[in-house]
Amino acid sequence: MAMALRGVRLLRGLLCSPSCALSRGLPQPPACPALLMPPCRPGGQQLLARQLATKKAKGKGQSPAKVNISAALVEDIINLEETNEDMQAVIEALKEDFNRNLSVRTSPGALDHIVVVTKDGKFPLNQLGQISQKSPQLLIVNMASFPESTAAATKAIRESGMNLNPEVDGTIIRVPIPKVTREHRESLAKLAKQSTNKSKEALRKVRSKSMNQVKKSKSKVSEDTIWLLEKQIQQMADSAAAEMDKLLAAKTKELLG
């Protein structure tokens, strides 16, 4: 019996030995994946999967697979929902800026948002004066209710960045609307680009704030968790920036006709 067992062990060793396989000209079996893994540590499997996914994507000329972390699982590190809300707020602010300030169509509402600085504080123009449209090329602001703010309102309109040159007649402010020329359209398109760049800068600040918050937890969580969170935040920022680019493209097309 002992001789039989010894023979079985010897045969098994010969079959499993890479050197034996080579000496016999047989195909060498692939190395066990476990031998390729780095020393065991928390998150080791995640790290290996991350490296393989990244290399595979690069090999095919594609971007790595997207990360999707449950906000509830990392709420003690960062509030991802709040980060997303902050980024969406930047997008909404850009939309509002486009709608209010960058349009070839004229309406009384175009002046509503202009902020007038008075001795009593800051107020929207439509709270101080009655705005109406006299003709497609002329807006009227009646400051009869707050005549003392007429000068301040006139200054605010002139400095609004809308290329307006108001004229004052008592408590009436006449606001001629520039003719929509090709140059005017191109000027508005440039302003749209500038507004988008400012919004992207605001977006980068939101991203940096979130990244810094994650890095503060390096001593508490694994390296892989930090990497995944940073990846998630970057994806959110990239998505928001792409949305801004779409808004800019649509607005540019609208302005240039």
Side-chain angles (χ1 to χ4, degrees):
M1 179 65 71
M3 292 291 292
L5 292 175
R6 188 179 303 111
V8 170
R9 287 196 293 269
L10 178 60
L11 179 60
R12 183 181 301 168
L14 291 173
L15 292 175
C16 295
S17 171
S19 60
C20 177
L22 291 174
S23 65
R24 291 174 179 270
L26 299 176
Q28 185 175 356
C32 174
L35 298 178
L36 299 177
M37 289 186 66
C40 291
R41 62 179 179 84
Q45 293 181 344
Q46 289 182 351
L47 178 60
L48 179 61
R50 184 183 82 196
Q51 292 172 338
L52 292 177
T54 302
K55 290 179 180 179
K56 183 177 180 181
K58 288 183 177 180
K60 292 184 178 182
Q62 301 175 354
S63 58
K66 289 187 176 182
V67 176
N68 188 11
I69 303 175
S70 172
L73 295 178
V74 293
E75 59 184 2
D76 57 332
I77 302 174
I78 186 173
N79 190 330
L80 288 177
E81 292 181 354
E82 183 177 312
T83 297
N84 183 61
E85 289 173 358
D86 290 343
M87 291 184 178
Q88 292 303 312
V90 176
I91 295 175
E92 292 302 317
L94 179 62
K95 289 181 181 178
E96 186 175 358
D97 182 48
F98 279 177
N99 292 333
R100 285 184 172 184
N101 301 330
L102 301 173
S103 177
V104 293
R105 300 179 182 88
T106 303
S107 67
L111 304 182
D112 287 351
H113 71 286
I114 294 178
V115 177
V116 181
V117 180
T118 71
K119 62 180 181 180
D120 298 319
K122 298 180 180 179
F123 302 93
L125 180 60
N126 61 354
Q127 290 186 10
L128 300 177
Q130 183 179 0
I131 306 173
S132 60
Q133 187 165 2
K134 186 76 171 178
S135 71
Q137 299 301 126
L138 181 64
L139 296 179
I140 298 295
V141 183
N142 189 336
M143 298 294 296
S145 298
F146 296 92
E148 69 280 3
S149 300
T150 301
T154 303
K155 179 181 179 182
I157 295 171
R158 184 175 291 112
E159 297 178 355
S160 64
M162 299 174 65
N163 193 31
L164 300 175
N165 188 24
E167 303 168 354
V168 181
D169 182 9
T171 59
I172 299 296
I173 304 176
R174 292 185 175 85
V175 186
I177 304 302
K179 185 178 180 180
V180 182
T181 63
R182 185 65 184 178
E183 291 182 356
H184 182 57
R185 288 177 179 272
E186 291 176 351
S187 177
L188 291 176
K190 289 180 180 179
L191 289 175
K193 177 66 174 178
Q194 292 174 7
S195 295
T196 303
N197 289 338
K198 289 181 181 179
S199 295
K200 286 186 175 181
E201 179 62 30
L203 178 65
R204 284 191 286 270
K205 290 181 180 179
V206 174
R207 181 199 61 188
S208 297
K209 178 182 176 182
S210 299
M211 290 287 197
N212 291 336
Q213 186 174 347
V214 168
K215 290 177 181 178
K216 291 179 181 178
S217 301
K218 279 190 173 181
S219 60
K220 302 177 183 179
V221 297
S222 69
E223 175 187 342
D224 291 329
T225 300
I226 296 295
W227 185 90
L228 290 170
L229 280 172
E230 290 179 341
K231 185 71 174 177
Q232 177 82 30
I233 293 169
Q234 184 61 52
Q235 285 176 182
M236 293 164 64
D238 291 343
S239 178
E243 179 65 20
M244 291 180 185
D245 287 336
K246 290 180 181 179
L247 291 172
L248 175 61
K251 175 56 68 171
T252 301
K253 183 177 179 180
E254 172 195 325
L255 292 173
L256 296 180

